[in-house]
Amino acid sequence: MKLFQQLLLAPAALGLLAPVAASASDLNLSGVDAYASQDQVTSISQFSDVRPTDWAYQALSNLVDRYGCVAGYPSGTFKGGQAMTRYEAAALLNACLDRVTETTDELKRLMKEFQKELAVLRGRVDGLEARVGELEANQFSTTTKLKGYAAFVIGANSFGGDLRTTDDLNAYSGAPVGGKYADYAKQQIGALSFNYDLRLDLDTSFTGKDLLRTRLRSGNFEGSAWFGNPPVGLLGMETAFESGAGNNVVEINRLFYQFPIGSGFTATFGPRVRQDDMLAMWPSAYPADTILDTFTYAGAPGTYSLNLGAGGGLWWKAGGLSLSANYVSANGDSSNPENGGIATSGSNETGTVQLAYGGANYGIAAAYTYTSNGGFTGPYAGLYGGNGTPEAVEAFGLSDNVNSFGLSGYFSPLASSWFPSISAGWGINTYVGAPAGLDESQSWYLGLQWGDVLFKGNTLGFAVGQPTFMTSSGSNDGNYAWEGWYKLQVTDNISVTPAIYYLSAPLGSLQKGNGDFDALGGLVKTTFRF
């Protein structure tokens, strides 16, 4: 029972049920008539004798404000300390009941007027409750979320120039002696092909702040031009994937656990963790999921090699400042120290330290990576054909270890405009133990992208740079790459990206002095996120 009902009914009921009869002289009918004839007040401040310190002040205020069923005496007083007669109780109770009756009648009218709408709403609520119940009964997990990504890529390449094969080219690509290299490349990777990349991320959290990630991945790029193999490795795409067992085989591509330690520290470890999974900040806004793989390493493929294997790392972050350190062994699942293990000669390992600072729309980072390849046995921790010239990749593998330094950063406008998002980076690598003249390489890139081009949600992008190339004394390994693309956001979860790309001298020093050779290609990538 509400407070005002208790206040009204208690004295009235006591008075009405009292066994002692009252005489006319006891009732003071003239006083009751004076009270009942007054208009109900609209504010408790109209009573000159009611103070906020009175014990029933709040109850009386509620009756006045909510129901307007309280009247005073002609003198502007309430006389709260005066005894209430049965007639006064009846008058007060009748006034409040009239207001309650008015409210009830109005509610009935509204319910009748909106009867159809209420029925529809009731049906929707019942349906929603049923669906929630079914979801709870059949949910995959209370702690795990599934995120999916699928990319369809269809495209082809064309090659120009009159470059003829040489012994070095034959050794690199398996080309026959004599003939034009462009013709050989066209025979190997010039046809139109249709490929896919599929990723399923199972993200589990046990505390709300930690993350256990399991990624299942499959693809069929092994025989395509975009897998990063000879004869033109620099055509490699970031999305080009096939498992270690071949095309169309699902593998565990990621398996690691990440959790906070105290204030500002985050730890990550796992048997299948990648270098960038353990960095507090990625120093580029240019999207990794674009076209040529060489543009996805923040300008420094030697430093940000994205080594994948067994490893662990720790980062500290306070405001915009962060410090990250991690270790990855590409062969960490093997117990043979000759071609596997952790911190052995066959680990194919990387150790990375990054110092970074960033805000909501900008970031800059300096990073150092030590790479020990352990030869070419097992997985490869360093460069591959998709992000370096043949000579740079060979030197990386022949060295005992490589010291790599990268400087990268980005700036993005807070709102879409004619001014693009800008990402840039530079990297330098020194090879210890490499043959003379093969002791240094560099790389750089510049990536631009504009949001909401022509239509809201669509993005235009362009990148130019030099994939890792030898810069040792006397080297003539330079080359240029560029790509342009336009992403049409068809729905929130589907996008279509037509793109073109060009490589000015993808074989670097191997083609210098033997003629010209370049590569031009185009593709359409359709991406589904679910």
Side-chain angles (χ1 to χ4, degrees), residues 1 4-6 8-9 12-13 16 40 63 66-70 88-106:
M1 181 179 290
F4 86 94
Q5 293 173 310
Q6 294 174 334
L8 291 175
L9 296 182
L16 293 172
Q40 274 70 33
L63 286 175
R66 296 181 183 179
Y67 299 98
C69 59
V70 176
E88 288 173 323
L92 178 59
L93 181 61
N94 181 68
C96 289
L97 288 177
D98 284 344
R99 293 302 176 90
V100 172
T101 301
E102 291 175 4
T103 303
T104 303
D105 291 341
E106 180 65 15

Side-chain angles (χ1 to χ4, degrees), residues 59-357:
L60 183 61
S61 178
N62 289 342
L63 286 175
V64 172
D65 295 339
R66 296 181 183 179
Y67 299 98
C69 59
V70 176
Y73 290 92
S75 60
T77 60
F78 181 70
K79 298 182 180 180
Q82 178 176 299
M84 177 179 280
T85 67
R86 288 158 56 111
Y87 281 113
E88 288 173 323
L92 178 59
L93 181 61
N94 181 68
C96 289
L97 288 177
D98 284 344
R99 293 302 176 90
V100 172
T101 301
E102 291 175 4
T103 303
T104 303
D105 291 341
E106 180 65 15
L107 287 175
K108 289 180 179 179
R109 185 190 67 79
L110 290 173
M111 291 176 64
K112 184 177 181 180
E113 180 178 348
F114 295 100
Q115 184 175 6
K116 293 182 179 180
E117 290 80 359
L118 290 172
V120 172
L121 182 60
R122 187 180 300 111
R124 291 181 177 178
V125 171
D126 292 342
L128 181 60
E129 289 178 347
R131 293 175 63 183
V132 170
E134 182 180 358
L135 180 62
E136 291 177 347
N138 297 281
Q139 63 182 338
F140 169 72
S141 171
T142 57
T143 60
T144 302
K145 295 181 179 180
L146 171 64
K147 295 188 296 184
Y149 167 96
F152 295 170
V153 178
I154 183 169
N157 302 288
S158 65
F159 305 94
D162 59 356
L163 175 64
R164 293 187 175 273
T165 57
T166 66
D167 290 342
D168 288 339
L169 287 176
N170 293 337
Y172 165 67
S173 65
V177 177
K180 290 184 178 181
Y181 194 86
D183 294 337
Y184 171 69
K186 181 177 181 180
Q187 293 170 6
Q188 300 298 309
I189 55 175
L192 181 71
S193 64
F194 194 178
N195 306 90
Y196 77 91
D197 176 23
L198 175 66
R199 311 171 199 176
L200 299 175
D201 283 346
L202 300 171
D203 288 345
T204 302
S205 180
F206 304 101
T207 66
K209 297 180 179 180
D210 59 342
L211 171 66
L212 173 65
R213 171 160 293 177
T214 305
R215 172 174 290 178
L216 307 177
R217 193 171 182 184
S218 182
N220 67 343
F221 280 88
E222 182 179 13
S224 76
W226 302 304
F227 198 58
N229 288 330
V232 185
L234 283 174
L235 290 175
M237 289 182 63
E238 190 277 336
T239 194
F241 177 81
E242 61 87 19
S243 74
N247 284 335
N248 305 312
V249 177
V250 179
E251 73 166 30
I252 302 295
N253 183 249
R254 294 282 210 290
L255 184 59
F256 64 85
Y257 183 58
Q258 192 170 86
F259 58 96
I261 301 177
S263 176
F265 288 90
T266 298
T268 307
F269 71 96
R272 294 286 288 172
V273 63
R274 206 168 76 171
Q275 178 200 45
D276 56 324
D277 294 325
M278 299 180 284
L279 297 176
M281 187 190 82
W282 181 250
S284 174
Y286 193 74
D289 183 25
T290 54
I291 312 303
L292 296 179
D293 196 25
T294 188
F295 294 124
T296 67
Y297 297 83
T303 307
Y304 297 107
S305 62
L306 307 187
N307 193 20
L308 173 64
L314 183 69
W315 79 58
W316 168 83
K317 192 171 186 179
L321 184 65
S322 65
L323 179 64
S324 308
N326 61 68
Y327 170 88
V328 179
S329 170
N331 295 341
D333 57 348
S334 173
S335 299
N336 186 343
E338 296 298 323
N339 57 15
I342 295 176
T344 66
S345 60
S347 296
N348 283 345
E349 60 192 0
T350 55
T352 302
V353 178
Q354 175 185 272
L355 178 65
Y357 186 81

